[in-house]
Short mmCIF file of all heavy atoms in Angstrom, two decimals:
data_model
loop_
_atom_site.label_atom_id
_atom_site.label_comp_id
_atom_site.label_asym_id
_atom_site.label_seq_id
_atom_site.Cartn_x
_atom_site.Cartn_y
_atom_site.Cartn_z
N MET A 1 53.07 -27.69 55.27
CA MET A 1 51.72 -28.02 54.82
C MET A 1 51.09 -26.79 54.14
O MET A 1 51.19 -25.69 54.62
CB MET A 1 50.89 -28.41 56.05
CG MET A 1 49.77 -29.36 55.70
SD MET A 1 49.02 -30.04 57.20
CE MET A 1 47.49 -29.18 57.22
N ALA A 2 50.43 -27.02 53.05
CA ALA A 2 49.78 -25.94 52.30
C ALA A 2 48.57 -25.44 53.12
O ALA A 2 47.94 -26.19 53.83
CB ALA A 2 49.32 -26.43 50.96
N LYS A 3 48.36 -24.16 52.99
CA LYS A 3 47.22 -23.57 53.68
C LYS A 3 45.94 -24.00 52.99
O LYS A 3 45.87 -24.03 51.78
CB LYS A 3 47.31 -22.06 53.66
CG LYS A 3 48.11 -21.53 54.81
CD LYS A 3 47.71 -20.11 55.13
CE LYS A 3 48.22 -19.72 56.52
NZ LYS A 3 47.77 -18.41 56.93
N LYS A 4 44.96 -24.29 53.81
CA LYS A 4 43.70 -24.73 53.24
C LYS A 4 42.93 -23.53 52.66
O LYS A 4 43.04 -22.43 53.21
CB LYS A 4 42.86 -25.36 54.37
CG LYS A 4 41.73 -26.17 53.84
CD LYS A 4 41.06 -26.97 54.91
CE LYS A 4 39.87 -27.68 54.27
NZ LYS A 4 39.07 -28.38 55.27
N SER A 5 42.28 -23.78 51.58
CA SER A 5 41.44 -22.71 51.04
C SER A 5 40.00 -23.17 51.03
O SER A 5 39.73 -24.38 51.02
CB SER A 5 41.90 -22.31 49.64
OG SER A 5 41.79 -23.40 48.77
N TYR A 6 39.11 -22.22 50.98
CA TYR A 6 37.70 -22.48 51.08
C TYR A 6 36.98 -21.88 49.89
O TYR A 6 37.26 -20.75 49.51
CB TYR A 6 37.13 -21.91 52.38
CG TYR A 6 37.71 -22.52 53.60
CD1 TYR A 6 38.88 -22.02 54.15
CD2 TYR A 6 37.10 -23.62 54.20
CE1 TYR A 6 39.44 -22.61 55.27
CE2 TYR A 6 37.66 -24.24 55.32
CZ TYR A 6 38.82 -23.73 55.82
OH TYR A 6 39.41 -24.29 56.96
N THR A 7 36.09 -22.65 49.33
CA THR A 7 35.30 -22.11 48.20
C THR A 7 33.87 -21.83 48.66
O THR A 7 33.23 -22.69 49.21
CB THR A 7 35.27 -23.14 47.06
OG1 THR A 7 36.61 -23.51 46.74
CG2 THR A 7 34.60 -22.57 45.83
N ILE A 8 33.48 -20.60 48.44
CA ILE A 8 32.09 -20.18 48.77
C ILE A 8 31.32 -20.13 47.47
O ILE A 8 31.66 -19.40 46.55
CB ILE A 8 32.07 -18.80 49.43
CG1 ILE A 8 32.94 -18.75 50.64
CG2 ILE A 8 30.62 -18.42 49.75
CD1 ILE A 8 32.91 -17.40 51.29
N LYS A 9 30.26 -20.92 47.40
CA LYS A 9 29.42 -20.90 46.20
C LYS A 9 28.06 -20.36 46.52
O LYS A 9 27.40 -20.80 47.45
CB LYS A 9 29.26 -22.33 45.66
CG LYS A 9 30.54 -22.84 45.02
CD LYS A 9 30.31 -24.19 44.40
CE LYS A 9 31.62 -24.89 44.13
NZ LYS A 9 31.57 -26.33 44.32
N THR A 10 27.68 -19.36 45.78
CA THR A 10 26.39 -18.72 45.98
C THR A 10 25.67 -18.58 44.65
O THR A 10 26.32 -18.54 43.60
CB THR A 10 26.49 -17.35 46.65
OG1 THR A 10 27.42 -16.57 45.91
CG2 THR A 10 26.99 -17.48 48.10
N ALA A 11 24.36 -18.48 44.70
CA ALA A 11 23.57 -18.24 43.49
C ALA A 11 22.54 -17.17 43.79
O ALA A 11 21.87 -17.19 44.82
CB ALA A 11 22.87 -19.53 43.03
N CYS A 12 22.39 -16.25 42.88
CA CYS A 12 21.46 -15.13 43.07
C CYS A 12 20.03 -15.67 42.88
O CYS A 12 19.73 -16.32 41.89
CB CYS A 12 21.76 -14.08 42.03
SG CYS A 12 20.53 -12.76 42.00
N PRO A 13 19.14 -15.36 43.86
CA PRO A 13 17.75 -15.81 43.74
C PRO A 13 16.98 -15.08 42.63
O PRO A 13 15.95 -15.55 42.16
CB PRO A 13 17.15 -15.49 45.11
CG PRO A 13 18.03 -14.45 45.68
CD PRO A 13 19.39 -14.61 45.10
N GLN A 14 17.45 -13.91 42.26
CA GLN A 14 16.73 -13.12 41.26
C GLN A 14 17.06 -13.53 39.82
O GLN A 14 16.19 -13.77 39.00
CB GLN A 14 17.00 -11.63 41.49
CG GLN A 14 16.20 -10.75 40.52
CD GLN A 14 16.10 -9.35 41.05
OE1 GLN A 14 15.31 -9.07 41.96
NE2 GLN A 14 16.91 -8.46 40.52
N CYS A 15 18.37 -13.55 39.48
CA CYS A 15 18.71 -13.86 38.09
C CYS A 15 19.35 -15.24 37.95
O CYS A 15 19.57 -15.70 36.82
CB CYS A 15 19.66 -12.78 37.52
SG CYS A 15 21.27 -12.75 38.24
N GLY A 16 19.65 -15.87 39.08
CA GLY A 16 20.12 -17.26 39.02
C GLY A 16 21.62 -17.40 38.70
O GLY A 16 22.09 -18.51 38.63
N CYS A 17 22.34 -16.31 38.51
CA CYS A 17 23.73 -16.46 38.18
C CYS A 17 24.48 -16.91 39.45
O CYS A 17 24.16 -16.47 40.57
CB CYS A 17 24.32 -15.21 37.60
SG CYS A 17 24.65 -13.93 38.76
N SER A 18 25.42 -17.79 39.25
CA SER A 18 26.16 -18.26 40.41
C SER A 18 27.55 -17.70 40.46
O SER A 18 28.08 -17.21 39.44
CB SER A 18 26.20 -19.80 40.40
OG SER A 18 26.83 -20.24 39.23
N ARG A 19 28.15 -17.78 41.61
CA ARG A 19 29.43 -17.17 41.80
C ARG A 19 30.22 -18.05 42.79
O ARG A 19 29.68 -18.54 43.75
CB ARG A 19 29.20 -15.78 42.41
CG ARG A 19 30.48 -15.03 42.64
CD ARG A 19 30.15 -13.67 43.12
NE ARG A 19 31.37 -12.87 43.16
CZ ARG A 19 31.48 -11.65 43.70
NH1 ARG A 19 30.42 -11.11 44.21
NH2 ARG A 19 32.62 -11.02 43.69
N ALA A 20 31.49 -18.20 42.52
CA ALA A 20 32.34 -18.93 43.43
C ALA A 20 33.52 -18.08 43.81
O ALA A 20 34.12 -17.44 42.95
CB ALA A 20 32.81 -20.26 42.81
N GLN A 21 33.81 -18.04 45.11
CA GLN A 21 34.96 -17.28 45.58
C GLN A 21 35.86 -18.26 46.29
O GLN A 21 35.39 -19.07 47.09
CB GLN A 21 34.54 -16.25 46.61
CG GLN A 21 33.76 -15.09 46.12
CD GLN A 21 33.35 -14.24 47.33
OE1 GLN A 21 32.30 -14.43 47.91
NE2 GLN A 21 34.17 -13.30 47.72
N VAL A 22 37.16 -18.18 46.08
CA VAL A 22 38.09 -19.00 46.83
C VAL A 22 38.86 -18.09 47.80
O VAL A 22 39.46 -17.11 47.39
CB VAL A 22 39.08 -19.71 45.90
CG1 VAL A 22 40.04 -20.58 46.70
CG2 VAL A 22 38.32 -20.60 44.91
N LEU A 23 38.76 -18.40 49.06
CA LEU A 23 39.42 -17.59 50.10
C LEU A 23 40.26 -18.46 51.00
O LEU A 23 39.94 -19.62 51.23
CB LEU A 23 38.35 -16.90 50.94
CG LEU A 23 37.42 -15.90 50.24
CD1 LEU A 23 36.33 -15.43 51.20
CD2 LEU A 23 38.15 -14.70 49.71
N SER A 24 41.30 -17.85 51.53
CA SER A 24 42.11 -18.57 52.48
C SER A 24 41.42 -18.52 53.86
O SER A 24 40.47 -17.78 54.05
CB SER A 24 43.50 -17.93 52.61
OG SER A 24 43.35 -16.66 53.25
N GLU A 25 41.94 -19.30 54.79
CA GLU A 25 41.36 -19.33 56.12
C GLU A 25 41.36 -17.94 56.76
O GLU A 25 40.36 -17.51 57.36
CB GLU A 25 42.14 -20.31 57.00
CG GLU A 25 41.48 -20.49 58.34
CD GLU A 25 42.22 -21.51 59.20
OE1 GLU A 25 42.96 -22.34 58.69
OE2 GLU A 25 42.01 -21.45 60.44
N ASP A 26 42.47 -17.19 56.59
CA ASP A 26 42.56 -15.84 57.14
C ASP A 26 41.52 -14.92 56.54
O ASP A 26 40.89 -14.13 57.24
CB ASP A 26 43.96 -15.27 56.94
CG ASP A 26 45.02 -15.96 57.78
OD1 ASP A 26 44.62 -16.67 58.76
OD2 ASP A 26 46.22 -15.75 57.51
N GLU A 27 41.37 -15.03 55.25
CA GLU A 27 40.37 -14.18 54.58
C GLU A 27 38.94 -14.53 55.00
O GLU A 27 38.11 -13.63 55.19
CB GLU A 27 40.50 -14.30 53.05
CG GLU A 27 41.77 -13.66 52.50
CD GLU A 27 42.01 -14.00 51.07
OE1 GLU A 27 41.78 -15.15 50.63
OE2 GLU A 27 42.50 -13.11 50.35
N MET A 28 38.72 -15.80 55.16
CA MET A 28 37.38 -16.24 55.64
C MET A 28 37.08 -15.66 57.02
O MET A 28 35.99 -15.13 57.27
CB MET A 28 37.33 -17.76 55.75
CG MET A 28 37.21 -18.49 54.45
SD MET A 28 35.72 -18.15 53.52
CE MET A 28 34.47 -18.91 54.55
N ARG A 29 38.07 -15.75 57.88
CA ARG A 29 37.91 -15.28 59.24
C ARG A 29 37.62 -13.76 59.25
O ARG A 29 36.80 -13.28 59.98
CB ARG A 29 39.19 -15.56 60.03
CG ARG A 29 38.93 -15.98 61.43
CD ARG A 29 40.22 -16.49 62.07
NE ARG A 29 40.50 -17.86 61.72
CZ ARG A 29 39.83 -18.92 62.14
NH1 ARG A 29 38.79 -18.76 62.90
NH2 ARG A 29 40.17 -20.13 61.80
N GLU A 30 38.40 -13.05 58.42
CA GLU A 30 38.26 -11.60 58.37
C GLU A 30 36.90 -11.19 57.75
O GLU A 30 36.26 -10.26 58.23
CB GLU A 30 39.43 -11.05 57.51
CG GLU A 30 39.61 -9.57 57.62
CD GLU A 30 40.84 -9.14 56.84
OE1 GLU A 30 41.93 -9.69 57.12
OE2 GLU A 30 40.68 -8.31 55.93
N LYS A 31 36.53 -11.84 56.69
CA LYS A 31 35.33 -11.39 55.95
C LYS A 31 34.04 -11.90 56.58
O LYS A 31 33.04 -11.21 56.63
CB LYS A 31 35.38 -11.92 54.49
CG LYS A 31 36.11 -11.02 53.55
CD LYS A 31 36.00 -11.54 52.16
CE LYS A 31 35.07 -10.73 51.28
NZ LYS A 31 35.35 -10.84 49.86
N TYR A 32 34.06 -13.16 57.03
CA TYR A 32 32.80 -13.76 57.44
C TYR A 32 32.81 -14.22 58.89
O TYR A 32 31.76 -14.32 59.49
CB TYR A 32 32.49 -14.96 56.56
CG TYR A 32 32.31 -14.58 55.10
CD1 TYR A 32 33.26 -14.96 54.16
CD2 TYR A 32 31.23 -13.80 54.70
CE1 TYR A 32 33.11 -14.60 52.85
CE2 TYR A 32 31.10 -13.43 53.39
CZ TYR A 32 32.02 -13.81 52.45
OH TYR A 32 31.92 -13.45 51.15
N GLY A 33 33.95 -14.55 59.46
CA GLY A 33 33.96 -15.09 60.81
C GLY A 33 33.15 -16.37 60.87
O GLY A 33 33.19 -17.16 59.93
N ASP A 34 32.43 -16.56 61.98
CA ASP A 34 31.68 -17.82 62.08
C ASP A 34 30.19 -17.58 61.97
O ASP A 34 29.38 -18.27 62.58
CB ASP A 34 32.04 -18.56 63.37
CG ASP A 34 31.73 -17.75 64.61
OD1 ASP A 34 31.27 -16.60 64.47
OD2 ASP A 34 31.89 -18.29 65.73
N VAL A 35 29.81 -16.61 61.13
CA VAL A 35 28.38 -16.32 60.96
C VAL A 35 27.66 -17.49 60.25
O VAL A 35 28.23 -18.09 59.35
CB VAL A 35 28.14 -15.03 60.16
CG1 VAL A 35 28.60 -13.81 60.95
CG2 VAL A 35 28.84 -15.08 58.82
N PRO A 36 26.43 -17.75 60.67
CA PRO A 36 25.67 -18.82 60.00
C PRO A 36 25.11 -18.34 58.64
O PRO A 36 24.92 -19.13 57.74
CB PRO A 36 24.52 -19.15 60.96
CG PRO A 36 24.38 -17.94 61.83
CD PRO A 36 25.75 -17.25 61.87
N ASN A 37 24.84 -17.03 58.54
CA ASN A 37 24.30 -16.45 57.30
C ASN A 37 25.10 -15.21 56.96
O ASN A 37 25.54 -14.49 57.86
CB ASN A 37 22.84 -16.03 57.48
CG ASN A 37 21.95 -17.19 57.86
OD1 ASN A 37 21.81 -18.15 57.11
ND2 ASN A 37 21.38 -17.13 59.04
N PHE A 38 25.23 -14.93 55.70
CA PHE A 38 25.96 -13.71 55.28
C PHE A 38 25.29 -13.10 54.11
O PHE A 38 24.55 -13.76 53.36
CB PHE A 38 27.43 -14.06 55.01
CG PHE A 38 27.60 -15.07 53.89
CD1 PHE A 38 27.86 -14.64 52.60
CD2 PHE A 38 27.56 -16.45 54.18
CE1 PHE A 38 28.04 -15.60 51.60
CE2 PHE A 38 27.72 -17.37 53.15
CZ PHE A 38 27.97 -16.96 51.88
N GLU A 39 25.57 -11.81 53.90
CA GLU A 39 24.92 -11.10 52.78
C GLU A 39 25.85 -11.06 51.58
O GLU A 39 27.04 -10.81 51.70
CB GLU A 39 24.55 -9.67 53.24
CG GLU A 39 23.65 -9.02 52.26
CD GLU A 39 23.26 -7.60 52.71
OE1 GLU A 39 24.14 -6.75 52.77
OE2 GLU A 39 22.08 -7.39 52.97
N MET A 40 25.26 -11.33 50.43
CA MET A 40 26.02 -11.25 49.19
C MET A 40 25.31 -10.23 48.25
O MET A 40 24.13 -10.00 48.36
CB MET A 40 25.96 -12.61 48.46
CG MET A 40 26.79 -13.71 49.08
SD MET A 40 28.55 -13.40 48.88
CE MET A 40 28.71 -13.42 47.06
N GLU A 41 26.13 -9.66 47.37
CA GLU A 41 25.51 -8.80 46.35
C GLU A 41 25.81 -9.44 45.00
O GLU A 41 26.96 -9.70 44.69
CB GLU A 41 26.07 -7.37 46.48
CG GLU A 41 25.29 -6.43 45.58
CD GLU A 41 25.83 -5.00 45.71
OE1 GLU A 41 25.76 -4.43 46.81
OE2 GLU A 41 26.31 -4.46 44.71
N CYS A 42 24.77 -9.61 44.21
CA CYS A 42 24.93 -10.22 42.90
C CYS A 42 25.71 -9.27 41.99
O CYS A 42 25.43 -8.07 41.93
CB CYS A 42 23.56 -10.51 42.29
SG CYS A 42 23.66 -11.17 40.64
N HIS A 43 26.69 -9.78 41.30
CA HIS A 43 27.51 -8.91 40.41
C HIS A 43 26.83 -8.69 39.08
O HIS A 43 27.27 -7.89 38.30
CB HIS A 43 28.93 -9.46 40.26
CG HIS A 43 28.97 -10.82 39.63
ND1 HIS A 43 28.47 -11.93 40.25
CD2 HIS A 43 29.50 -11.23 38.47
CE1 HIS A 43 28.67 -12.97 39.41
NE2 HIS A 43 29.28 -12.57 38.34
N GLU A 44 25.73 -9.41 38.80
CA GLU A 44 24.99 -9.18 37.57
C GLU A 44 23.88 -8.17 37.74
O GLU A 44 23.77 -7.19 37.00
CB GLU A 44 24.38 -10.50 37.10
CG GLU A 44 25.41 -11.53 36.60
CD GLU A 44 26.07 -11.11 35.27
OE1 GLU A 44 25.43 -10.39 34.49
OE2 GLU A 44 27.24 -11.50 35.08
N CYS A 45 23.01 -8.42 38.68
CA CYS A 45 21.80 -7.57 38.83
C CYS A 45 21.82 -6.70 40.09
O CYS A 45 20.90 -5.97 40.34
CB CYS A 45 20.55 -8.42 38.76
SG CYS A 45 20.34 -9.52 40.20
N MET A 46 22.91 -6.82 40.90
CA MET A 46 23.06 -5.99 42.13
C MET A 46 22.07 -6.31 43.22
O MET A 46 21.95 -5.60 44.21
CB MET A 46 23.00 -4.49 41.81
CG MET A 46 24.08 -4.05 40.85
SD MET A 46 25.72 -4.38 41.51
CE MET A 46 26.66 -4.47 40.00
N GLN A 47 21.33 -7.41 43.06
CA GLN A 47 20.40 -7.84 44.11
C GLN A 47 21.22 -8.27 45.33
O GLN A 47 22.23 -8.96 45.20
CB GLN A 47 19.60 -9.02 43.55
CG GLN A 47 18.75 -9.75 44.58
CD GLN A 47 17.47 -9.02 44.88
OE1 GLN A 47 16.99 -8.19 44.09
NE2 GLN A 47 16.91 -9.28 46.05
N LYS A 48 20.76 -7.84 46.50
CA LYS A 48 21.40 -8.30 47.72
C LYS A 48 20.60 -9.48 48.27
O LYS A 48 19.38 -9.45 48.24
CB LYS A 48 21.43 -7.20 48.77
CG LYS A 48 22.50 -6.19 48.41
CD LYS A 48 22.78 -5.20 49.55
CE LYS A 48 23.96 -4.34 49.16
NZ LYS A 48 23.93 -3.06 49.83
N TYR A 49 21.30 -10.48 48.67
CA TYR A 49 20.60 -11.63 49.20
C TYR A 49 21.40 -12.30 50.31
O TYR A 49 22.58 -12.06 50.45
CB TYR A 49 20.28 -12.64 48.06
CG TYR A 49 21.50 -13.14 47.29
CD1 TYR A 49 22.09 -14.38 47.63
CD2 TYR A 49 22.07 -12.41 46.29
CE1 TYR A 49 23.17 -14.86 46.94
CE2 TYR A 49 23.16 -12.87 45.59
CZ TYR A 49 23.73 -14.09 45.91
OH TYR A 49 24.82 -14.55 45.24
N ILE A 50 20.72 -13.11 51.09
CA ILE A 50 21.34 -13.76 52.23
C ILE A 50 21.63 -15.21 51.85
O ILE A 50 20.77 -15.91 51.33
CB ILE A 50 20.40 -13.74 53.46
CG1 ILE A 50 20.01 -12.32 53.85
CG2 ILE A 50 21.01 -14.48 54.63
CD1 ILE A 50 21.15 -11.46 54.40
N SER A 51 22.86 -15.64 52.14
CA SER A 51 23.22 -17.01 51.90
C SER A 51 23.51 -17.70 53.23
O SER A 51 23.96 -17.05 54.17
CB SER A 51 24.46 -17.07 51.05
OG SER A 51 24.12 -17.01 49.69
N GLU A 52 23.24 -18.97 53.26
CA GLU A 52 23.58 -19.73 54.46
C GLU A 52 24.97 -20.31 54.30
O GLU A 52 25.28 -20.93 53.29
CB GLU A 52 22.62 -20.94 54.60
CG GLU A 52 21.32 -20.63 55.30
CD GLU A 52 20.59 -21.89 55.51
OE1 GLU A 52 20.17 -22.53 54.51
OE2 GLU A 52 20.44 -22.34 56.66
N MET A 53 25.80 -20.14 55.33
CA MET A 53 27.16 -20.62 55.24
C MET A 53 27.20 -22.13 55.05
O MET A 53 28.01 -22.64 54.32
CB MET A 53 27.94 -20.22 56.51
CG MET A 53 29.40 -20.51 56.44
SD MET A 53 30.23 -19.73 55.03
CE MET A 53 30.55 -18.07 55.66
N LYS A 54 26.28 -22.85 55.70
CA LYS A 54 26.36 -24.30 55.60
C LYS A 54 26.12 -24.82 54.19
O LYS A 54 26.59 -25.90 53.82
CB LYS A 54 25.49 -24.98 56.64
CG LYS A 54 24.03 -24.85 56.45
CD LYS A 54 23.31 -25.81 57.44
CE LYS A 54 21.83 -25.90 57.21
NZ LYS A 54 21.12 -24.83 57.93
N SER A 55 25.35 -24.07 53.40
CA SER A 55 25.17 -24.51 52.02
C SER A 55 26.16 -23.87 51.05
O SER A 55 26.56 -24.43 50.05
CB SER A 55 23.72 -24.29 51.54
OG SER A 55 23.40 -22.92 51.66
N ALA A 56 26.62 -22.64 51.36
CA ALA A 56 27.55 -21.96 50.48
C ALA A 56 28.95 -22.50 50.65
O ALA A 56 29.70 -22.62 49.67
CB ALA A 56 27.57 -20.43 50.79
N CYS A 57 29.31 -22.84 51.88
CA CYS A 57 30.66 -23.36 52.11
C CYS A 57 30.65 -24.34 53.29
O CYS A 57 30.99 -23.98 54.41
CB CYS A 57 31.62 -22.16 52.37
SG CYS A 57 33.33 -22.69 52.49
N PRO A 58 30.24 -25.57 53.02
CA PRO A 58 30.13 -26.56 54.11
C PRO A 58 31.47 -26.79 54.83
O PRO A 58 31.45 -27.06 56.04
CB PRO A 58 29.73 -27.85 53.37
CG PRO A 58 29.20 -27.41 52.05
CD PRO A 58 29.86 -26.10 51.71
N ASP A 59 32.55 -26.67 54.11
CA ASP A 59 33.88 -26.88 54.75
C ASP A 59 34.12 -25.88 55.84
O ASP A 59 34.58 -26.23 56.93
CB ASP A 59 35.00 -26.66 53.71
CG ASP A 59 35.24 -27.89 52.88
OD1 ASP A 59 34.53 -28.91 53.15
OD2 ASP A 59 36.09 -27.85 51.98
N TRP A 60 33.82 -24.62 55.55
CA TRP A 60 34.05 -23.57 56.55
C TRP A 60 33.11 -23.74 57.73
O TRP A 60 33.47 -23.55 58.90
CB TRP A 60 33.90 -22.20 55.91
CG TRP A 60 34.12 -21.06 56.87
CD1 TRP A 60 33.16 -20.23 57.33
CD2 TRP A 60 35.34 -20.68 57.48
NE1 TRP A 60 33.74 -19.35 58.21
CE2 TRP A 60 35.09 -19.62 58.33
CE3 TRP A 60 36.65 -21.18 57.41
CZ2 TRP A 60 36.04 -18.98 59.08
CZ3 TRP A 60 37.62 -20.57 58.16
CH2 TRP A 60 37.32 -19.48 58.97
N ASP A 61 31.88 -24.02 57.41
CA ASP A 61 30.89 -24.24 58.47
C ASP A 61 31.31 -25.34 59.42
O ASP A 61 31.28 -25.20 60.64
CB ASP A 61 29.54 -24.60 57.81
CG ASP A 61 28.40 -24.53 58.82
OD1 ASP A 61 28.20 -23.45 59.39
OD2 ASP A 61 27.72 -25.51 59.01
N ALA A 62 31.82 -26.44 58.85
CA ALA A 62 32.29 -27.56 59.69
C ALA A 62 33.49 -27.13 60.52
O ALA A 62 33.59 -27.48 61.70
CB ALA A 62 32.66 -28.74 58.75
N GLU A 63 34.37 -26.36 59.92
CA GLU A 63 35.57 -25.87 60.61
C GLU A 63 35.20 -25.04 61.84
O GLU A 63 35.76 -25.20 62.92
CB GLU A 63 36.41 -25.04 59.64
CG GLU A 63 37.81 -24.79 60.04
CD GLU A 63 38.74 -25.95 59.69
OE1 GLU A 63 38.29 -26.91 59.05
OE2 GLU A 63 39.88 -25.85 60.02
N CYS A 64 34.23 -24.16 61.67
CA CYS A 64 33.78 -23.31 62.75
C CYS A 64 33.17 -24.10 63.91
O CYS A 64 33.35 -23.82 65.07
CB CYS A 64 32.76 -22.28 62.28
SG CYS A 64 33.49 -21.06 61.21
N ARG A 65 32.43 -25.11 63.53
CA ARG A 65 31.81 -25.99 64.54
C ARG A 65 32.83 -26.71 65.38
O ARG A 65 32.69 -26.87 66.57
CB ARG A 65 30.92 -27.02 63.87
CG ARG A 65 29.48 -26.69 63.95
CD ARG A 65 28.73 -27.56 62.97
NE ARG A 65 28.07 -26.72 61.99
CZ ARG A 65 26.82 -26.36 62.12
NH1 ARG A 65 26.12 -26.77 63.13
NH2 ARG A 65 26.27 -25.58 61.23
N LEU A 66 33.90 -27.16 64.71
CA LEU A 66 34.93 -27.90 65.39
C LEU A 66 35.67 -27.05 66.43
O LEU A 66 36.17 -27.57 67.39
CB LEU A 66 35.96 -28.44 64.39
CG LEU A 66 35.49 -29.61 63.50
CD1 LEU A 66 36.54 -29.91 62.46
CD2 LEU A 66 35.21 -30.84 64.33
N GLN A 67 35.70 -25.73 66.17
CA GLN A 67 36.46 -24.86 67.04
C GLN A 67 35.67 -24.36 68.22
O GLN A 67 36.19 -23.64 69.04
CB GLN A 67 37.00 -23.69 66.22
CG GLN A 67 38.20 -24.11 65.36
CD GLN A 67 38.60 -23.10 64.36
OE1 GLN A 67 38.17 -21.94 64.46
NE2 GLN A 67 39.39 -23.48 63.37
N GLU A 68 34.43 -24.69 68.29
CA GLU A 68 33.62 -24.17 69.40
C GLU A 68 33.98 -24.83 70.69
O GLU A 68 34.35 -25.99 70.73
CB GLU A 68 32.13 -24.44 69.10
CG GLU A 68 31.52 -23.15 68.56
CD GLU A 68 30.05 -23.42 68.11
OE1 GLU A 68 29.33 -24.11 68.88
OE2 GLU A 68 29.67 -22.95 67.05
ZN1 ZN B 101 21.50 -11.53 40.10
#
């Protein structure tokens, strides 16, 4: 079975540019764990902002809930 991958989509509140990252389950666990919110840095304007996992990556959020 292929490993599942997760797409995190975020948008900068300051300049509005959006970004999508595709990570494997292992990478998700290592980088974010089961946090409800995480910090992102915009690659355009360097603004730091907080994203909610449930809106950035609903798949991962659901996965974490199932494992509780
Ligand atoms: Zn920005």
Side-chain angles (χ1 to χ4, degrees):
M1 208 169 107
K3 274 205 163 184
K4 197 171 175 185
S5 63
Y6 296 88
T7 306
I8 303 181
K9 288 184 196 145
T10 51
C12 172
Q14 183 160 282
C15 69
C17 77
S18 59
R19 182 176 187 189
Q21 290 175 270
V22 180
L23 298 173
S24 70
E25 186 178 339
D26 289 345
E27 289 170 322
M28 285 297 292
R29 218 170 279 291
E30 192 175 305
K31 274 185 105 156
Y32 300 110
D34 61 356
V35 291
N37 301 297
F38 60 95
E39 193 179 64
M40 286 291 297
E41 189 178 298
C42 177
H43 61 295
E44 290 291 331
C45 69
M46 301 300 156
Q47 171 79 23
K48 285 192 174 154
Y49 58 98
I50 302 291
S51 277
E52 274 187 294
M53 188 57 83
K54 69 170 187 274
S55 58
C57 187
D59 277 358
W60 179 250
D61 192 58
E63 196 83 4
C64 290
R65 258 166 240 265
L66 287 174
Q67 284 168 16
E68 262 174 43

